[in-house]
Amino acid sequence: MELVICKIVVLVSLVCGLCWAQGLQPSTNGGCVINTCSYARDTRAMDCESRQLVCVPSNTLYKSSDSIKLGQNTITRIKQNSFSGYTRLTQLDISNNLISVLDPLAFHTVSSLQTLLINFNQITQIGATAFSSLRKLIVLQLQGNIINSIHQNAFNDLVGIRELNLAGNRLTNLPDGVFAAMSAMQMLFLQENQLVLSANSQFLRGLRGLQDIDLDGNRFSAIPRLDDLSRLTALDMTDSHVTIISNNTFQNTATLRDVVLSGNIISTIEPLAFNGLGNAVELDLSNNAIADIPFGALSPLRNLETLLLQSNLMTVLRSEHFVHLASLRTLNIEGNQIKRLPLMASLHSLTLLNAKANLLETFDQETLSSLPRMNKLQLTGNRLQCDCRLKALQQWYITSGPAHHPHEIPQCSAAQPVALRGRRITTLSQGDFVCETPTIQSVVRQVHKTAGSSLQLSCIANGFPDPQITWMAPGGFVYTFGPSNRIMVTENGELLFKTIENRDQGEYTCIGINPAGRASATITLRVTPIRNPPNPPKNPPAVPPKPPAVLTTTQPPNVLPNNVTTLPAGAHPVTANPGTNGRTEIVTVVTEKSQTVSDTVKEITEIDLGSNRNHSNADQDKDSKSTESGPFLGSDLTPSSTQSSLARNDGNDVASVCFIGYTLGGLLVAMLCTCLLTMACVIALFIAWRKGLLPSQMKTVNEQKARLVNMICRRESVGEECPTAL
Ligand SMILES: *[C@@H]1O[C@H](CO)[C@@H](O)[C@H](O)[C@H]1NC(C)=O
Ligand SMILES: *[C@@H]1O[C@H](CO)[C@@H](O)[C@H](O)[C@H]1NC(C)=O
Ligand SMILES: *[C@@H]1O[C@H](CO)[C@@H](O)[C@H](O)[C@H]1NC(C)=O
């Protein structure tokens, strides 16, 4: 009998416990009666936060409340009738529960709801009717759930909504037009999801009232269609994998003020990318992979005040970029690879220019005076060369000094002049900023070539700073460093003919210019017309064996098929008179094919090394690899310095591969040896063990024997003396 009662009691309490755990307490309408919430009669606000609730209270009194806080409980599910009777409810907070399911029509009984907060639960899906009949809802927050799908019609009834927060979920995709009914929505938060864009994705369709959208931390590859967002003022797409800004992305968003596209991988900006951004005040393109901005792309940004371009891959800025940015106050181009700043005459309003950590070698007086309002200029971390061009900059820093911390004053950081390296420019005197007039040094006056072949005419100009080289062709046409054409000037100042034509014959004048002056020299090109072969021989048929000697740029190319005259042995090339501004007499050098390194060449090597350190060093390396041609006059295209450095790297790679191969072999042998040794050792130990030769073994064997003897002794011979040890 007692047993039966006991069983029943246990069973009942078990069931009760389970019921409790399941939230199946005595309930009416799916809710439960609770007496622990605090209810403020005057404000009709019920506070049930952190009451360990597993269900929505169903007390009649509470049902007359206007607002109810149910946060930090353990409610797992909102059922169809969970809120039945809560007819007055306008504010509902059920954040920080364990809700994983919103039943269909979960809130249909609370249709006067205005604020619904369901943040930080475990909801995975939003069904078609979860929010139906919430036509008065203004704020809906679903942040920090694990929502991965939203039904296309889920928000159809939310016509009055102003703010929707879906941040921090697991959305990868949103159906087209999912927000289409929410034309009153002003703020939409979709950050920290995993949204990707299908082609022409239209999930933002219909959001005509949207002012602020946060899309950062997603996986978009482009900016979604913003066509209907004609009231948008702020767009944040930080860290969203965007690669391109396409034409007319913003054409219908004329109200946009802040556009933040930082931390993407934007490499392409199409020419009409910013069309329509006439009211934008801030454009943040920092931390992308932008190497260039097309001309005119920035011109719609007439009201832009802040342009952030730091940490990109820009190498060139041009005046044209800024033509219409008359309102710009802050320009940040820190951490790019810009070598030179252009005139920025249209930036009347610029007050702050941050150009730190670029490759700027100088800062022209013209650029400086084109920026009348500038009061802060950050130039540290560049390669400023303290020559006469920097005088104006120094003056500028001295006069506008107080605005700058001493650490913000740039230093002389170029290799030359050595004596000034590391000095802050404001600590120098005007006399320290020196330039030297160019001089031209060349050894070739005449070149004969066959039409159809290629040719590289070299012109080495000394001076400080390094002179800019331009070439004047026979017809008076001037070639400067620039785009790749049949005839072009390379970065090193060589004039490159990809294929020579008959009409190229004539005198070519190379002109070296730097701020201290100019110098020039003339080379005559004779072109032999092609006769029989329609295709010019690309490679000269007879290439003599390459001499092993290390040759330099100025080495007369001894593999050329061209005929040039040789200097008498021991003669030195004559360099241009220093300081002359006119033409320079040049001695002609002819090299026979078979000629090896001569004194002349050595002499030239030294001169060249002194005059044009960086290039000549690079070329020296190149020539030590291949002596096919020198830059002075090459029969074929000289491998460009990048190519040659690649070739050099290849060599290194081969070497390192060899090295790795070698060490791998060594490693294998070592491992094999170790294995063999270990095996031998194990075998030896085994044998030793078998024979009982191990010291520890001997000890234990002895002990065992002793113990055995003792035992036998005690059992058998009582009274007799036992041997204490063996
Ligand atoms: C963007 O516009 C420019 C200028 O009109 C045009 O050249 C370019 O082809 C356009 N790009 C695309 C993808 O349509
Ligand atoms: C070089 O000169 C020699 C002798 O003057 C001549 O026979 C030869 O054809 C010339 N070679 C070229 C490529 O002009
Ligand atoms: C020459 O090369 C060195 C290292 O390669 C570099 O630091 C220096 O700035 C270069 N000088 C010039 C004038 O380009």
Side-chain angles (χ1 to χ4, degrees):
M1 187 57 195
E2 292 98 320
L3 201 69
V4 172
I5 291 172
C6 189
K7 274 183 181 172
I8 290 171
V9 168
V10 167
L11 210 69
V12 166
S13 51
L14 204 73
V15 167
C16 279
L18 275 176
C19 285
W20 242 93
Q22 293 288 317
L24 294 176
Q25 291 152 288
S27 66
T28 52
N29 299 337
C32 45
V33 178
I34 301 291
N35 295 314
T36 53
C37 298
S38 56
Y39 180 65
R41 279 174 195 276
D42 51 343
T43 55
R44 295 175 180 274
M46 182 162 73
D47 183 354
C48 296
E49 271 185 357
S50 308
R51 300 298 206 282
Q52 296 175 330
L53 299 185
V54 292
C55 58
V56 176
S58 58
N59 309 35
T60 320
L61 171 67
Y62 295 173
K63 288 190 175 178
S64 59
S65 54
D66 285 353
S67 76
I68 176 165
K69 288 185 183 170
L70 288 165
Q72 279 126 41
N73 286 294
T74 48
I75 299 167
T76 54
R77 181 169 185 168
I78 303 296
K79 298 179 202 151
Q80 232 183 71
N81 51 5
S82 287
F83 289 102
S84 65
Y86 279 91
T87 46
R88 300 178 52 102
L89 201 63
T90 56
Q91 319 277 323
L92 172 59
D93 181 359
I94 39 176
S95 298
N96 294 293
N97 276 279
L98 301 173
I99 300 164
S100 55
V101 180
L102 298 176
D103 281 2
L105 303 172
F107 301 101
H108 75 124
T109 53
V110 280
S111 56
S112 47
L113 214 53
Q114 291 174 5
T115 304
L116 175 54
L117 311 182
I118 325 179
N119 299 319
F120 305 105
N121 279 284
Q122 291 168 11
I123 300 165
T124 54
Q125 300 193 344
I126 307 284
T129 59
F131 299 117
S132 66
S133 73
L134 294 180
R135 303 184 72 86
K136 294 184 180 159
L137 199 65
I138 294 171
V139 176
L140 174 58
Q141 295 186 355
L142 287 159
Q143 185 179 359
N145 281 279
I146 45 178
I147 301 168
N148 57 46
S149 97
I150 295 181
H151 191 277
Q152 184 173 7
N153 300 326
F155 302 131
N156 274 7
D157 279 356
L158 306 185
V159 290
I161 202 145
R162 304 262 170 79
E163 176 189 328
L164 172 61
N165 190 335
L166 286 165
N169 279 286
R170 299 207 183 141
L171 293 167
T172 53
N173 194 1
L174 282 169
D176 280 355
V178 63
F179 307 123
M182 306 165 113
S183 56
M185 183 146 71
Q186 295 172 353
M187 284 184 277
L188 174 59
F189 301 98
L190 285 169
Q191 68 268 33
E192 309 304 332
N193 276 285
Q194 294 156 18
L195 289 168
V196 294
L197 273 198
S198 47
N200 278 321
S201 188
Q202 299 253 3
F203 70 91
L204 297 175
R205 182 149 51 83
L207 289 171
R208 293 197 170 75
L210 201 66
Q211 294 171 8
D212 199 333
I213 186 167
D214 194 336
L215 295 170
D216 67 69
N218 279 287
R219 298 180 187 169
F220 298 116
S221 50
I223 299 171
R225 298 285 295 270
L226 304 171
D227 297 350
D228 286 348
L229 282 61
S230 53
R231 300 242 175 100
L232 198 65
T233 58
L235 169 70
D236 185 346
M237 281 194 74
T238 308
D239 297 325
S240 294
H241 298 219
V242 177
T243 58
I244 181 172
I245 309 180
S246 309
N247 283 346
N248 301 317
T249 300
F250 304 104
Q251 65 177 346
N252 294 323
T253 54
T255 45
L256 254 180
R257 289 173 62 82
D258 298 321
V259 182
V260 181
L261 294 168
S262 175
N264 286 286
I265 38 179
I266 297 169
S267 57
T268 309
I269 294 178
E270 292 192 347
L272 308 179
F274 301 121
N275 261 15
L277 284 182
N279 288 306
V281 172
E282 174 174 342
L283 175 59
D284 184 351
L285 294 169
S286 60
N287 292 292
N288 277 290
I290 301 167
D292 196 15
I293 299 178
F295 285 162
L298 298 174
S299 24
L301 303 162
R302 286 163 195 275
N303 287 301
L304 199 68
E305 291 176 12
T306 304
L307 176 57
L308 305 180
L309 284 167
Q310 66 267 35
S311 301
N312 276 288
L313 305 173
M314 311 233 334
T315 52
V316 184
L317 275 188
R318 300 189 190 87
S319 303
E320 292 89 333
H321 281 132
F322 306 113
V323 172
H324 294 106
L325 302 186
S327 307
L328 200 67
R329 288 161 187 274
T330 301
L331 174 60
N332 191 336
I333 50 170
E334 180 176 347
N336 281 277
Q337 293 157 24
I338 296 164
K339 291 191 172 155
R340 195 190 174 98
L341 286 179
L343 272 178
M344 297 191 268
S346 30
L347 301 183
H348 313 298
S349 315
L350 196 74
T351 55
L352 167 63
L353 172 58
N354 180 349
K356 285 186 212 167
N358 276 282
L359 303 176
L360 295 175
E361 191 187 282
T362 194
F363 199 97
D364 296 335
Q365 176 166 14
E366 293 78 28
T367 308
L368 205 53
S369 45
S370 72
L371 298 168
R373 296 263 175 84
M374 184 169 63
N375 56 34
K376 188 108 180 175
L377 173 59
Q378 296 173 310
L379 284 175
T380 49
N382 280 287
R383 299 186 177 172
L384 290 180
Q385 178 169 295
C386 288
D387 55 44
C388 60
R389 295 171 295 176
L390 276 202
K391 280 185 184 173
L393 186 70
Q394 188 224 20
Q395 280 307 306
W396 188 87
Y397 271 108
I398 288 173
T399 49
S400 63
H404 295 85
H405 188 273
H407 290 134
E408 294 176 317
I409 307 286
Q411 297 166 303
C412 305
S413 34
Q416 302 289 326
V418 177
L420 301 183
R421 285 195 70 173
R423 301 267 305 269
R424 301 216 176 265
I425 62 169
T426 46
T427 66
L428 303 179
S429 70
Q430 285 274 297
D432 290 331
F433 297 93
V434 174
C435 285
E436 283 165 23
T437 328
T439 58
I440 289 196
Q441 169 193 326
S442 181
V443 284
V444 174
R445 197 170 64 192
Q446 260 191 27
V447 180
H448 292 251
K449 290 294 290 186
T450 317
S453 56
S454 64
L455 171 67
Q456 203 164 327
L457 292 179
S458 194
C459 173
I460 294 186
N462 300 340
F464 187 75
D466 285 342
Q468 296 268 312
I469 307 279
T470 55
W471 288 84
M472 194 154 69
F477 188 82
V478 175
Y479 293 97
T480 53
F481 170 60
S484 176
N485 287 319
R486 186 178 68 87
I487 305 175
M488 60 176 277
V489 178
T490 67
E491 206 173 356
N492 300 346
E494 291 137 1
L495 185 65
L496 180 72
F497 297 77
K498 288 184 181 164
T499 36
I500 292 183
E501 293 176 6
N502 293 342
R503 60 188 164 122
D504 294 336
Q505 177 157 302
E507 287 197 338
Y508 288 81
T509 306
C510 132
I511 305 161
I513 302 178
N514 79 3
R518 55 187 281 156
S520 64
T522 301
I523 299 177
T524 305
L525 172 64
R526 295 256 149 79
V527 181
T528 318
I530 325 165
R531 280 168 225 127
N532 293 337
N535 293 327
K538 287 240 161 132
N539 291 314
V543 177
K546 293 161 189 173
V550 175
L551 303 174
T552 63
T553 36
T554 47
Q555 182 233 340
N558 53 4
V559 293
L560 291 180
N562 314 65
N563 279 339
V564 211
T565 19
T566 329
L567 271 183
H572 291 180
V574 177
T575 60
N577 292 334
T580 45
N581 286 352
R583 296 202 166 183
T584 315
E585 273 302 307
I586 295 169
V587 171
T588 309
V589 178
V590 181
T591 313
E592 300 287 345
K593 288 177 192 173
S594 57
Q595 192 189 4
T596 51
V597 189
S598 68
D599 289 348
T600 321
V601 172
K602 284 177 194 158
E603 178 70 30
I604 296 167
T605 307
E606 277 158 29
I607 291 167
D608 181 49
L609 278 173
S611 67
N612 203 343
R613 291 152 212 94
N614 281 359
H615 299 322
S616 66
N617 284 348
D619 288 343
Q620 198 171 21
D621 289 345
K622 171 171 68 191
D623 283 358
S624 66
K625 286 259 164 241
S626 114
T627 53
E628 275 164 13
S629 63
F632 256 70
L633 46 123
S635 62
D636 298 298
L637 285 177
T638 320
S640 75
S641 62
T642 42
Q643 278 168 328
S644 74
S645 69
L646 277 180
R648 218 160 48 236
N649 286 345
D650 284 349
N652 286 344
D653 287 348
V654 168
S656 57
V657 166
C658 286
F659 181 68
I660 288 167
Y662 172 74
T663 44
L664 266 182
L667 209 67
L668 280 177
V669 169
M671 278 167 67
L672 207 66
C673 283
T674 315
C675 273
L676 286 173
L677 277 173
T678 315
M679 273 168 67
C681 203
V682 167
I683 290 168
L685 275 170
F686 182 69
I687 293 169
W689 176 74
R690 282 292 299 270
K691 296 198 170 176
L693 292 175
L694 297 180
S696 58
Q697 207 182 355
M698 287 162 93
K699 190 180 162 203
T700 52
V701 166
N702 285 349
E703 278 171 2
Q704 279 167 6
K705 276 186 187 167
R707 248 181 258 142
L708 209 65
V709 169
N710 243 333
M711 267 163 58
I712 296 166
C713 164
R714 277 188 199 147
R715 252 184 230 163
E716 289 178 358
S717 53
V718 185
E720 261 182 51
E721 245 188 44
C722 286
T724 47
L726 207 79

